[in-house]
Amino acid sequence: MIRKLFLLNLRALLSGVLKSNSRGKGPGAAKMVFAAVVGIALAFSIFSMFYMMFNFVCESFFTAGIGFMYFSAFAITVFSLCVLSSVLTGAAIVFGAKDNELLLSMPIKPADILIGRLLTLFTAEYAITFLVALAAFVPWLAGGFATGSGILLFVAGALLLPPMALSAALLLAWLLTLISSRLRHKNIVTLAISVAFLIAYLYFYMNMQSYLGELVAKGGELAEAFRAAVPPFYLFGVSVADGDIMSGLAFAAWAVAPFAAALLLLAANYHKVLTTNRGGAKIVYREKQVAAKSALSALIGKEMARFWSKPAVVLNSSIGSVFMLVSPLLLIKQTGILAQFTTFALITNTAPATLLAAALAILASSNNLGASLVSLEGKNLWITQSVPVSARTALRAKLAAHLLTSSIPCLFASLCFGAVLAAGPADWLLLLIAPQTVIAFIAVIGLTLNLYFPKLDWTSEVQVVKQSAPAMFTLFGAWLILAGLGLLYGFVFSALLPVTAYLWICGAFFAAAGGCGYAWLMKRGAKMFARL
Amino acid sequence: MLKIEGLTKKYGDKRAVDDLSLQIAQGEICGFIGHNGAGKTTAIKAVCGVLRFDSGEIYIGGQSVKKEPMACKRMTAYVPDNPDLYDFLPGIKYLNFIADVYGIDAGERRRRIHQYAEIFELTADLAAPVSAYSHGMKQKLALMAALIHEPRFMVFDEPFVGLDPKASRTVKDIMRQKCDNGGAVFFSTHVLEVAEKLCDKVAIIKGGKLVACGDMETVRGDSSLEEVFFEIEGEGTGADD
């Protein structure tokens, strides 16, 4: 039964990426190839990011005699990434999946349902662990510091990190579900907690190299403090670095015990956890006058209400906007970053405003809400189709939702950056316009892809915003386009054009492509939407 | 009010609705009866403009659903068999959304929401999110949303499922009242007694084809609707077994 449930969850997950068409035919070779390319590109970028980090510190750590810190840093990285990736997904699929009640009504043990869902989370966690482990393993081996027993303990320890992370993620997801069920503005609170968690993690990640550098400098003194503060990661580090089996066993106990306890506790109470109505305070209705709106405004309002209703939707489809809102504050508050940035601009002989406009364009490419808005209609699609609004109006509302959630944070960032840099008129124009063209382009492309690959049979919004084909294709497609344009400049146009002029040309390209895409959406796209 | 001519809808090679023709005049309540999978919901969705059809024509108030879908939808109210509403909105916001889409001015919508919320006993729950509603409450909200623009033509797919007896009675009264005021109602049901008592007209569909249609008295003759239905379907009523 567990196997069947796991395969069911896995199918739901994969159907988001490789959904067959409405006639029941397979996903098609082109889509399979594209999905494979995107998957490989994603895996490579994760590997590269962590390889650079581990390669930077590897030799220093081992020559300073604190090799255990290398593996402790690896364990902390994997643990944090796994927790981060599983908290919201865990809350959505373990505690909030729409088919929980259906499965509970069947002769299936609640514990089996739970394990089926946990195996799905494990799949993602082990994929992350494998990539980061590979990134840590290569410099270690290449540097000649690896030993046979160390390798064995590294592999065994790495396999135990996901269960340890999952127990923490489950605890946090359960607390998140519990807190949010008792609050009136549960989504805002959940969102605030999630963003705070994300920012804390990123702050830690951004400063990791300086922390590691400090560790090398202060050596044993900090290592002792580290052992007292986070014993399981210390034990993992010591076991691999010294080939110490006893430390390895002690780490295994730290990893397995909390997971076993969480699993047993949750399995025994899963039915109760899923069916207990925690009865938030009833909101009393008071009749009041409401201003009438146009159909388009009403549809936009509906799209925005849907966007704000689930923190998982906000964080997965508009993470770029979160950074757009946070990054100017960092730039203003931490003047050191501004100084570093200005130095970098001088070295690369590029105007700071140009660099910031490019940075905003990259952040804008991380927002892919438009690629999920058709799928998110799900079983509600009949409402839009039965009321007297045209498919064009419905699509315009979806585009507007993407633009509102991306353009306003982007405008805020542009204004802050322009003010900090005391930008001239040309710089102001570039900062204000160029990133917005990327936003418009991605909104149109995302919506188009969602019309081609709608996923309306989801059981959790996470399947749409995180795992569906249009969401992934839009996100990674946008990154590939931006990377391609960057490489094109570096290898071809850098000798011919200043970077600012190139950025304007790119902006014009995005605006023109977005315009063409919009015209297509209003004709062919509207017909496709009406036929869904 | 409703005129269907040769409606055909195929799913692959299967004809879910096959050359169906039907007319409902102003003032008539027409019950739509058939086994599960007979094609009732497909035909209803085609009438409401939710589902595109392969051939035939559907006219509502003289307007073609194919050529003038917006005009037809403005006249029509639709409640599906399982009303999946926007879970993320409170009931009142859902009603306001529907009122905005139909262009109901603020004063009029306030009056109608108040009126129907009182009738369906949903006033106290309007501020709660739809996700907290029971199936019956969702059904009531869907009916309120369908009625908020005072439609001339109402299409309901299994409207009484999930409703308490009082709400069922209310819905029947509203259906009759709308028809008395010149409207028309087309609804599907599996409860033959309800259809027999409520409907002026009945249409029976089998395997996508309309096998009987006409005034209730004509179709029923001296038998009950249940006997006629099972006779058409080629099954006993169970009484003879």
Side-chain angles (χ1 to χ4, degrees), chain A residues 287 289 293 380 382 385, chain B residues 73 84-85 100 106 110 114:
Chain A
E287 203 175 287
Q289 193 74 33
K293 289 187 280 191
N380 297 143
W382 70 272
Q385 290 181 331
Chain B
K73 286 176 182 177
D84 285 300
L85 309 176
D100 283 331
R110 192 179 178 189
H114 179 82

